Amino acid sequence: MNTLTSLAPDARFDVVVIGSGFGASFFLHRFLAKAKPSVRILVLERGPYRDHQRQREEGRNASIPAMESVRVGEGHKPWTFTLAFGGGTNCWWGQTPRMHPSDFRLFSSYGVGRDWPLSYDDLEPYYVAAERIMAVSGDPASAGLFPRSAPFPQPPHRGTSADRMMQQAQPLHHFIGATARARVATESRNACCSSATCNLCPADAKFTVLNGMQETYGDPRVSILVDAEVLALDHVGDDVTGVRFRHGGKQVSIRTELVVLGANAIFSPHILQNSGMGGGLCGRGLNEQLGATVEVLLDGLDAFDGSTMSTGVNYLLYDGAHRRTAGAVIVFTRNHWWDGLRTEFGRWRQTLPLLLVAEDLADDGNHVGPADSKGRPQIHCPGASDYARAGIGRMIERLPDLLRPLPVEAIHFRGWRRTESHLQGTLRMGADPRTSVVDADLRHHRFRNLVVVGTAVLPTCPATNPSLTAAALALRAADRLA
């Protein structure tokens, strides 16, 4: 990698990429495939470079605590993210489900939320491309619900005994979940060790920018500057002309023709607000899914015999008319014990942990506000809506039906999750500048040489983990720009 230590005053680059997580890295990967040999690209990363070994030795992904970088206003939620090279690819757990086709047309189907400015079919080729880059392991049976133009790069993980029973009874709705935790070792990644410590994967089996984007960041057209905190964008009229950032205790300005903004759903709108490019819906609609945990006690069936930390995914009760009043819910079966093993002799493994994840409706009252006196973005997000809670409530009521294939002894609600660690929705995409910030190609409605990537652009909050969708959208944006 061409890692810089400093820049000359008034340096100029053709493209400046802000951030190095999913959106920024996947955009850069596709952009380089189409760019001229002479193009000069600078990547600015606020955090340091920390290789996998160092993260494991220190027991943390980054040296900068996330919550020290923001100020929480109304309500408290432990928004988690990684300020380091590779961004969220370091701390994520590798879940890569696609969005459900109905998620793209939520308003036209159910009268709530918004429709996306593109369809599942528009994004499907880019889902394939992102899955190939990440060497995703997945179940071919899921193609009945999520149409595919190409097979998964890797075979599915081994499900648990409970998964196999559920699959036999519900073959169209219960699958082994798609994941970027390798089932089969690759040139740069080992096979999953099923230790349930995926944020600091001991085997380096999970896709990260560090182990999966070496060619992208090793391209001689790309220069990288870490420990560079972007402060604002310079603009004249409707054109972005440069980027201002802090590095080594000094403020630096550089000029550019194109800016790709992928800081995350908190810091991307924060940068625009600091630049005098906020207003309207910039920073509005901060959201994430609502999660809850359930323990299912089994009668005579042992669990925890799968090959990765989370195995099955169930969509039996996901879609339908209930979404008019209650959010869709994904049910994940886990291959590790959140609530401990059972205490009865010989029945230690007769328990099945479930994670229920509900979609939510974006609320413009949840937002990233102006900076405080220390320059930190202020977060206002009291919590999930009644819509999401109704979705979880409905699923808990229907769990006996969903789990009918299993020998269930009892079902226990174990509590609400504080966060799903998915920051979304503050620079939403759409066709109308009055109701969105960027268009379907992720270009800013007003500043056309500004591309926004990452989960900030998601116009709704589906129950699906957003990382694969963010990667696919970034690949598509690079194609559309070219």
Side-chain angles (χ1 to χ4, degrees):
M1 294 194 307
N2 182 20
T3 305
L4 305 178
T5 56
S6 62
L7 286 175
D10 295 320
R12 187 180 189 90
F13 289 84
D14 300 299
V15 183
V16 175
V17 179
I18 300 171
S20 58
F22 283 101
S25 294
F26 279 76
F27 180 95
L28 180 62
H29 177 87
R30 181 57 66 94
F31 183 83
L32 285 169
K34 298 175 176 294
K36 296 178 180 179
S38 60
V39 71
R40 297 184 67 224
I41 302 171
L42 176 65
V43 177
L44 297 173
E45 167 55 53
R46 178 177 177 177
Y49 180 90
R50 297 163 62 83
D51 62 24
H52 175 257
Q53 181 177 348
R54 184 175 179 187
Q55 291 183 45
R56 289 289 301 159
E57 289 173 350
E58 296 185 0
R60 55 183 180 173
N61 298 116
S63 57
I64 307 172
M67 292 309 298
E68 288 184 8
S69 305
V70 300
R71 181 182 177 192
V72 178
E74 300 170 10
H76 176 70
K77 181 184 282 286
W79 299 101
T80 57
F81 47 87
T82 298
L83 294 173
F85 180 75
T89 72
N90 292 289
C91 65
W92 78 314
W93 285 60
Q95 305 287 73
T96 53
R98 295 182 175 194
M99 281 177 51
H100 192 282
S102 65
D103 292 334
F104 292 86
R105 50 181 190 272
L106 188 61
F107 182 79
S108 59
S109 297
Y110 304 115
V112 296
R114 300 171 180 83
D115 286 348
W116 284 49
L118 46 78
S119 68
Y120 179 91
D121 289 342
D122 292 329
L123 200 57
E124 199 281 332
Y126 297 100
Y127 273 141
V128 169
E131 289 165 347
R132 286 175 176 166
I133 294 169
M134 293 192 238
V136 166
S137 164
D139 189 343
S142 65
L145 203 57
F146 303 91
R148 305 184 58 82
S149 59
F152 282 104
Q154 291 216 0
H157 278 273
R158 185 181 70 249
T160 64
S161 297
D163 285 316
R164 290 190 286 275
M165 295 176 69
M166 294 290 288
Q167 283 182 297
Q168 184 175 4
Q170 301 168 3
L172 300 180
H173 295 95
H174 193 99
F175 319 113
I176 302 304
T179 174
R181 301 183 294 269
R183 174 71 194 275
V184 180
T186 71
E187 291 183 4
S188 60
R189 291 156 56 192
N190 297 311
C192 177
C193 63
S194 191
S195 65
T197 54
C198 303
N199 61 318
L200 290 165
C201 176
D204 204 15
K206 175 192 69 179
F207 168 85
T208 68
V209 162
L210 298 175
N211 63 28
M213 288 278 187
Q214 299 96 327
E215 287 190 22
T216 299
Y217 284 98
D219 192 296
R221 294 171 290 180
V222 178
S223 299
I224 305 162
L225 191 66
V226 297
D227 298 309
E229 180 183 2
V230 173
L231 304 173
L233 307 182
D234 294 322
H235 56 97
V236 175
D238 294 342
D239 290 323
V240 177
T241 58
V243 180
R244 281 176 281 142
F245 61 94
R246 184 183 296 112
H247 181 261
K250 299 179 180 179
Q251 184 167 314
V252 182
S253 296
I254 54 173
R255 293 172 292 162
T256 188
E257 300 295 326
L258 174 69
V259 172
V260 180
L261 179 58
N264 74 18
I266 290 177
F267 288 101
S268 287
H270 175 64
I271 289 168
L272 295 184
Q273 290 167 345
N274 288 347
S275 309
M277 299 164 63
L281 292 171
C282 177
R284 296 284 168 178
L286 179 64
N287 64 71
E288 69 161 354
Q289 300 83 0
L290 176 65
T293 59
V294 170
E295 183 181 15
V296 180
L297 301 183
L298 302 172
D299 186 3
L301 178 67
D302 286 343
F304 311 126
D305 53 345
S307 68
T308 189
M309 70 94 182
S310 181
T311 49
V313 185
N314 193 288
Y315 289 89
L316 181 67
L317 304 175
Y318 185 89
D319 196 28
H322 66 272
R323 293 178 77 176
R324 295 183 181 278
T325 56
V329 177
I330 296 178
V331 180
F332 294 92
T333 59
R334 294 295 193 166
N335 191 41
H336 63 106
W337 43 91
W338 283 330
D339 301 301
L341 298 176
R342 293 186 64 166
T343 58
E344 301 97 320
F345 181 79
R347 303 187 67 189
W348 301 294
R349 290 169 49 203
Q350 293 180 20
T351 176
L352 176 65
L354 301 180
L355 169 61
L356 314 183
V357 181
E359 71 176 327
D360 204 352
L361 297 178
D363 181 350
D364 290 346
N366 296 342
H367 64 278
V368 179
D372 68 2
S373 60
K374 296 182 179 180
R376 301 174 300 181
Q378 299 187 71
I379 309 304
H380 301 266
C381 192
S385 70
D386 292 340
Y387 180 80
R389 294 185 182 278
I392 295 290
R394 174 182 177 274
M395 180 58 73
I396 290 174
E397 290 178 1
R398 299 291 303 277
L399 272 180
D401 296 329
L402 185 144
L403 297 171
R404 199 171 301 281
L406 301 179
V408 175
E409 180 181 304
I411 300 173
H412 297 294
F413 179 78
R414 294 304 187 194
W416 300 100
R417 304 238 298 176
R418 296 180 68 197
T419 180
E420 291 304 306
S421 303
H422 300 150
L423 294 76
Q424 302 178 168
T426 51
L427 296 169
R428 70 178 70 124
M429 63 192 298
D432 188 343
R434 295 171 299 180
T435 58
S436 59
V437 179
V438 301
D439 64 17
D441 299 335
L442 309 191
R443 294 173 70 180
H444 195 282
H445 283 303
R446 176 184 170 189
F447 301 96
R448 301 301 286 167
N449 64 334
L450 170 63
V451 177
V452 180
V453 294
T455 55
V457 304
L458 271 60
T460 61
C461 181
T464 302
N465 307 61
S467 299
L468 178 71
T469 298
L473 287 169
L475 293 174
R476 182 180 181 276
D479 263 5
R480 301 287 290 180
L481 183 70

